[in-house]
Amino acid sequence: MKTTPPTVYIIDDEHAIRDSLALMIAQENIPVMAFESAQAFLEVCPQECSGCAIIDYRMPEMDGLELQAELAKRDITLPIIFLTGHGNIPTSVKAVKAGAIDFLTKPVRREKLISVVVAAMMESEKILAENASYKEAVKCIASLTEREYDVMLLAIQGYHNKDIARQLGISHRTVEIHKSNIMHKTGASHVLDLARIAHKSGLKE
């Protein structure tokens, strides 16, 4: 699958359900694609796909919860809406705890479906922005030399230049040069901004 705009992916083994859902969503001018099975969807879904997935809970070979688990395993952060005629409270709780946006029962009202889809698409945008920010932060931190990384760790812990110099056994001037390089490479405007970038990259002090 080539890069596509945020899309609603419908995965349901019932042809009539797929067509009905696709029509309702398309009428809202939202891109939509439909698949008859989890396997068919997984064959074309890239890790970078965005939008949301409406997944039937009970399907042959791979059911909805299994597909949800497989997407998580592949690190595909696609908001999921479960739609089923066989839902129950324990199943709903399990799905939502695993990250599902909602768990709807068939037949679903058009207004309810579109409302949940819009919320899921907004969540997808948020996830994409967070992922992009995380990747950029990781890239910035990875660009630092070993010594710059050491200086950064102490700087974001609140140590002053003279304290950093003493702990690392280098001159005050060298610390200033390292910090200047760190700020340039990360794009940070001050130490608090640098700490935010470091933490966003997954750094644990």
Side-chain angles (χ1 to χ4, degrees), residues 9-13 35-38 41 53-56 59 67:
Y9 302 95
I10 300 169
I11 304 95
D12 196 305
D13 61 323
F35 302 86
E36 64 181 5
S37 69
F41 172 62
I54 299 176
I55 303 175
D56 183 27
M59 295 185 290
L67 175 55

Side-chain angles (χ1 to χ4, degrees), residues 65-133:
L65 286 177
E66 290 171 335
L67 175 55
Q68 182 183 33
E70 181 62 26
L71 290 174
K73 181 180 178 182
R74 298 187 183 193
D75 199 26
I76 298 175
T77 52
L78 195 65
I80 292 173
I81 302 165
F82 278 108
L83 181 64
T84 180
H86 309 282
N88 56 59
I89 293 177
T91 298
S92 302
V93 170
K94 185 175 181 180
V96 172
K97 280 187 175 181
I101 295 294
D102 213 327
F103 201 105
L104 307 178
T105 55
K106 302 175 183 177
V108 61
R109 291 184 297 106
R110 177 194 180 95
E111 294 78 9
K112 177 62 175 177
L113 176 67
I114 298 304
S115 174
V116 175
V117 165
V118 169
M121 298 291 271
M122 292 176 64
E123 179 65 18
S124 178
E125 288 184 8
K126 179 181 176 182
I127 291 172
L128 287 176
E130 290 175 347
N131 286 346
S133 181

